[in-house]
Amino acid sequence: MAHDLYRRTPPGQHPPNRFDGYKSTASRSPTRPAVVLPQTLSEITGPLRRDERLGAQENDLTRQRMGEPLGERIVVHGRVVDEAGRPVPNALVEIWQCNAAGRYHHPGDQHDAPLDPNFYGGGRARADDNGAYRFVTIKPGAYPWGNHKNAWRPAHIHFSLFGPAFATRLITQMYFPNDPLLAYDPIYNSVPERARHRLQAAFDMDGTQPEWALAYEFDIVLRGRNATPMENGHG
Amino acid sequence: MADGLTPSQTIGPFYWGSLVSGYRADLAPAGVAGERIELALTLYDADGAVVPDGLIEIWQANSHGRYNHPEDRRNLPLDTGFEGFGRASADTSGTARFATVRPGRVPWPEGGLQAPHINISIFARGVLNRLATRLYFEGDPALATDPVLKLVDPARRSTLLATCDAAGVWCLPIHLGGDRETVFFDC
Ligand SMILES: [Fe+3]
């Protein structure tokens, strides 16, 4: 019997591929069921990107240009863990976001809001041995996106994680607590209701830096390993 | 907070800064062992229109069939400078291009070997969950006995087969939906 190294994900954790409120999913979602593949070496290995050398300022998005970007400076930190709460050490965390005015430093973004020459909006951090990562950035603005009448994305930061294997790859978005736009956002609401709160960072008063920056905490939970037969044997 | 997995969300259209600096469309620097190949992966939506804003990642074994990862404990050579990971954005014609080496064969858990293949992740605006698929090489004699292809409806296996064009580039159209919908895997 094949034994999968990583736990199969039960329903109710992720959005469906097609979500009617999010228009682009209509033509970009497979309709046939995915073929269930036993986890082979191809799925339980994956890019660890340990050779990726990060620049000193890559996790501080406020210091990548000549001057300081406009907006509310924030610290975003948390831990990358698996389903059992075990850290995913040395994980590479990649983020990207729009500026405080709601505009991406991207040629495709035509939103009529100012670009900030001091804000590029991309960053990377390496989690430590306990899975802890930390970014300094500015709070992203809301922006309109044309999905429906008066559609605005709630403020969010895009996150990309590899975890230990091809099977654990995840791209997600972090939202801010108490944002009134969350209730209207089909991308956020595509996630089953019970799981949505996991996309919201927690305001972190203890982590705020006096006279300098508010802090938000965002833990990321990746797929974890099945118990091995030996672990079962030991209860 | 850890009461379940962090849910997936779309990459959106404006992935940029951090991901662009992590681009690696040429996986195999000079000196890496194996047959050098080029790949052209083209994304189409369910209506047959190209998807010009997708991001494609590939993950593969080296030419000896060894993954550069601690779970691969076999006594096979690792090539310096070859990680096996690539990332490229689709261009305006929906195509992401990679240069790499043809991968070797890797084992099947219940015995035997899989046909040479490249593991693919697809992200795009309108794609809420990563889509995982594989690229196989048309004409490879190992295809006939590949245990993964045996799990796939024979009528749909060709959606996983790259074909070599006149310029020697291995081309694979990837259809996110429609009549020619690609086979995606739950792994
Ligand atoms: Fe966004």
Side-chain angles (χ1 to χ4, degrees):
Chain A
M1 272 290 280
H3 175 78
D4 287 330
L5 188 63
Y6 289 94
R7 284 185 58 186
R8 295 277 165 178
T9 303
Q13 307 276 316
H14 292 298
N17 287 329
R18 181 177 178 138
F19 188 72
D20 285 340
Y22 178 16
K23 275 190 190 158
S24 316
T25 65
S27 62
R28 294 183 171 194
S29 49
T31 56
R32 295 165 177 87
V35 173
V36 177
L37 189 59
Q39 290 166 12
T40 77
L41 212 45
S42 298
E43 287 73 37
I44 67 171
T45 60
L48 299 175
R49 307 188 71 185
R50 285 181 181 152
D51 60 338
E52 206 85 25
R53 265 177 261 142
L54 270 51
Q57 310 290 11
E58 284 200 62
N59 74 335
D60 186 344
L61 285 69
T62 69
R63 293 183 182 277
Q64 295 173 346
R65 295 298 178 106
M66 293 300 285
E68 282 211 78
L70 292 172
E72 182 186 340
R73 191 188 299 117
I74 57 172
V75 172
V76 175
H77 70 107
R79 290 179 75 218
V80 186
V81 297
D82 71 11
E83 289 166 276
R86 288 177 290 231
V88 181
N90 308 316
L92 180 70
V93 186
E94 301 170 293
I95 66 168
W96 67 102
Q97 63 167 90
C98 63
N99 68 21
R103 177 88 182 262
Y104 282 90
H105 189 280
H106 185 285
D109 188 356
Q110 299 298 313
H111 174 34
D112 179 22
L115 280 167
D116 183 339
N118 291 317
F119 193 72
Y120 187 65
R124 302 193 295 176
R126 178 79 64 188
D128 67 14
D129 290 345
N130 292 313
Y133 73 89
R134 183 175 185 271
F135 289 99
V136 177
T137 183
I138 50 106
K139 193 169 179 186
Y143 59 82
W145 63 301
N147 180 73
H148 54 277
K149 188 165 178 277
N150 208 12
W152 291 79
R153 293 302 324 281
H156 60 277
I157 298 177
H158 297 266
F159 272 73
S160 165
L161 293 114
F162 290 89
F166 182 77
T168 58
R169 182 82 177 95
L170 178 74
I171 285 184
T172 188
Q173 300 183 26
M174 183 206 99
Y175 300 89
F176 292 84
N178 305 314
D179 188 330
L181 287 171
L182 288 172
Y184 304 98
D185 181 45
I187 296 181
Y188 174 74
N189 288 291
S190 67
V191 173
E193 190 171 3
R194 276 174 40 236
R196 272 174 217 160
H197 68 280
R198 298 178 206 146
L199 294 177
Q200 284 188 39
F203 174 62
D204 177 18
M205 192 64 200
D206 290 337
T208 65
Q209 310 276 303
E211 319 297 328
W212 195 67
L214 297 182
Y216 291 89
E217 187 170 10
F218 183 55
D219 292 337
I220 297 150
V221 183
L222 302 177
R223 286 172 75 181
R225 289 176 173 232
N226 278 310
T228 65
M230 196 168 76
E231 279 168 352
N232 283 338
H234 290 229
Chain B
M1 176 166 170
D3 63 340
L5 295 170
T6 301
S8 176
Q9 293 272 267
T10 176
I11 193 171
F14 301 137
Y15 59 85
W16 190 248
S18 58
L19 296 189
V20 92
S21 65
Y23 276 19
R24 217 181 283 180
D26 189 346
L27 284 65
V32 168
E35 178 197 343
R36 290 195 70 89
I37 56 170
E38 288 178 47
L39 309 175
L41 313 179
T42 305
L43 284 181
Y44 297 92
D45 72 11
D47 305 321
V50 298
V51 174
D53 52 11
L55 184 78
I56 298 184
E57 291 176 352
I58 63 174
W59 170 245
Q60 64 167 95
N62 69 14
S63 63
H64 313 288
R66 172 85 188 264
Y67 281 106
N68 187 351
H69 188 279
E71 285 295 340
D72 192 343
R73 302 184 182 93
R74 293 167 304 146
N75 186 24
L76 292 168
L78 279 171
D79 293 325
T80 310
F82 187 80
E83 186 192 20
F85 172 71
R87 174 188 271 173
S89 186
D91 60 18
T92 50
S93 64
T95 300
R97 295 175 183 279
F98 298 93
T100 181
V101 292
R102 190 167 171 139
R105 300 180 71 175
V106 301
W108 177 247
E110 289 161 41
L113 293 170
Q114 303 183 49
H117 63 273
I118 291 176
N119 308 289
I120 298 174
S121 295
I122 294 155
F123 305 95
R125 171 178 66 83
V127 175
L128 283 164
N129 297 287
R130 172 181 74 136
L131 296 173
T133 185
R134 287 181 168 201
L135 176 153
Y136 288 85
F137 298 88
E138 189 186 55
D140 192 312
L143 294 175
T145 54
D146 182 75
V148 170
L149 291 174
K150 279 186 186 154
L151 299 172
V152 174
D153 175 358
R156 301 185 64 208
R157 284 179 195 159
S158 66
T159 68
L160 303 174
L161 298 188
T163 54
C164 197
D165 73 7
V169 177
W170 289 94
C171 301
L172 181 69
I174 297 171
H175 294 268
L176 302 181
D179 295 343
R180 288 177 289 171
E181 184 178 300
T182 290
V183 170
F184 297 104
F185 293 105
D186 173 359
C187 57

